[in-house]
Amino acid sequence: MKWKHFLCWIVWMAVSQAQAQPETVIYPGAISSDQRTGYYAAVLDLALKKSGTPYRLQASGQMMVAPRLMQQLQDRDGINVCWWPTSPELEQRLLPVRIPIDKGILGWRLFLIRKDDRARFAAIHTLPQLQALVAGQQRDWSDTAILRANGIKVVGAGLYPPMFQMLASGRFHYFPRGVGEIWNEERQHGGLGLEVEGHLALHYPVHTYFFVNKHDTALAQRLEHGLRTALKDGSFDALFEQYNGEFLRRARLGSRTVFELHNPLTTPAPRQGKTGGLHLSTAPLSSED
């Protein structure tokens, strides 16, 4: 009988060690000059930490265009989690964790413009006036379809990095950027004669979720549990403030002329659970049920 007990002990130890092994969670890593992933990677780390199970977070070491990333996630090829503004296509192909992870801040857009065009934009007070100009966007971003659906002319670029030089050289008039992105971009590319425009903003509803492979239900559940825990204990709000609070205060959204746009790509927002919605009246931080 002793050998049977010994064999059971061996099996139990093997199972316990396997269960204790941290899961490797791989997300698309940014190129060194691209700081846009910083906040989302930090939220991912927080959600995994709050999930209460061992993990190892790892950047893939490369950034690729959205269609390629989507296919990699479907094929489980090199990454197993990503974040995007949701759309019906994404939710059909991948498994969303339906908790907004950035309070909708991506839907608040300021304009990066040429300094020489400051007076031109200061004279804009209506959407038709803005529609007379041309925006620039990366062509595979959902923002391109949103802007065009609202009558805004768009020049689509193949890649993100060259777009600042394209703006500086006059290929388009303005580059709509998220409140949490634009200030770092102004700092990095101000030498090209670019600046953040001072009195206009766009707003459209955007729900940014984590997405995983359709079969990775356990990972999706871990992320949802971790996010809900972080929302309840205040650590999500603290992280949002750390990364975005100062940018929101600099944006002065409440004093800008805001053009409200519709988003034909979004899906209904979650109706239950704390989602961390952003409100101008309580910016930079608030949460809602």
Side-chain angles (χ1 to χ4, degrees):
M1 292 294 294
K2 288 184 178 181
W3 69 270
K4 291 184 179 180
H5 288 298
F6 180 73
L7 183 59
C8 288
W9 180 80
I10 291 290
V11 172
W12 179 83
M13 285 293 293
V15 170
S16 298
Q17 289 178 1
Q19 290 175 342
Q21 290 299 314
E23 179 182 6
T24 299
V25 178
I26 305 174
Y27 66 94
I31 58 177
S32 59
S33 61
D34 187 348
Q35 300 180 0
R36 293 173 298 162
T37 64
Y39 169 72
Y40 297 97
V43 175
L44 178 60
D45 188 43
L46 178 64
L48 290 167
K49 187 177 300 181
K50 294 292 181 176
S51 73
T53 52
Y55 70 95
R56 182 171 63 250
L57 192 59
Q58 178 181 324
S60 67
Q62 57 183 336
M63 280 293 283
M64 288 172 285
V65 295
R68 176 76 182 277
L69 286 174
M70 195 184 309
Q71 191 61 52
Q72 277 194 290
L73 203 49
Q74 276 193 284
D75 297 340
R76 292 176 166 173
D77 178 19
I79 59 172
N80 51 10
V81 65
C82 200
W83 51 84
W84 283 292
T86 194
S87 69
E89 179 190 5
L90 275 169
E91 294 196 18
Q92 182 179 18
R93 295 177 61 178
L94 301 169
L95 180 61
V97 180
R98 290 179 56 81
I99 298 177
I101 57 176
D102 63 5
K103 294 176 177 263
I105 196 173
L106 271 182
W108 289 95
R109 296 276 158 164
L110 307 185
F111 304 158
L112 202 62
I113 65 170
R114 293 182 293 276
K115 292 180 180 179
D116 292 344
D117 281 343
R118 191 181 301 166
R120 167 184 276 176
F121 281 87
I124 294 176
H125 300 284
T126 67
L127 183 57
Q129 288 176 310
L130 183 66
Q131 289 168 332
L133 303 182
V134 180
Q137 290 285 279
Q138 190 170 320
R139 67 174 62 100
D140 60 11
W141 289 346
S142 59
D143 308 281
T144 300
I146 294 168
L147 295 176
R148 286 174 174 162
N150 286 272
I152 294 175
K153 295 186 283 290
V154 180
V155 167
L159 296 172
Y160 163 77
M163 296 191 68
F164 303 95
Q165 184 61 56
M166 292 172 67
L167 173 60
S169 63
R171 294 282 300 278
F172 43 83
H173 298 107
Y174 63 108
F175 189 7
R177 305 300 296 134
V179 170
E181 304 167 320
I182 196 167
W183 305 104
N184 283 329
E185 293 172 337
E186 179 191 44
R187 177 177 52 81
Q188 291 172 3
H189 303 285
L192 295 174
L194 307 179
E195 67 178 14
V196 178
E197 193 280 330
H199 88 106
L200 299 173
L202 299 176
H203 177 248
Y204 40 88
V206 172
H207 311 306
T208 304
Y209 299 148
F210 288 127
F211 287 87
V212 301
N213 184 280
K214 282 281 191 182
H215 300 288
D216 286 343
T217 55
L219 177 56
Q221 290 168 358
R222 287 183 61 191
L223 291 172
E224 180 173 352
H225 174 71
L227 285 170
R228 293 198 181 280
T229 300
L231 283 163
K232 288 178 182 178
D233 67 18
S235 55
F236 174 85
D237 279 353
L239 186 67
F240 182 86
E241 163 65 21
Q242 175 188 338
Y243 276 84
N244 299 298
E246 182 58 31
F247 296 147
L248 280 163
R249 285 184 282 273
R250 289 181 66 182
R252 299 177 294 103
L253 294 175
S255 64
R256 289 177 177 263
T257 297
V258 179
F259 300 128
E260 292 285 344
L261 308 181
H262 74 275
N263 182 353
L265 304 179
T266 197
T267 60
R271 295 184 178 274
Q272 296 181 345
K274 206 173 180 185
T275 60
L278 175 67
H279 299 285
L280 282 178
S281 60
T282 55
L285 277 176
S286 70
S287 298
E288 66 180 5
D289 289 333

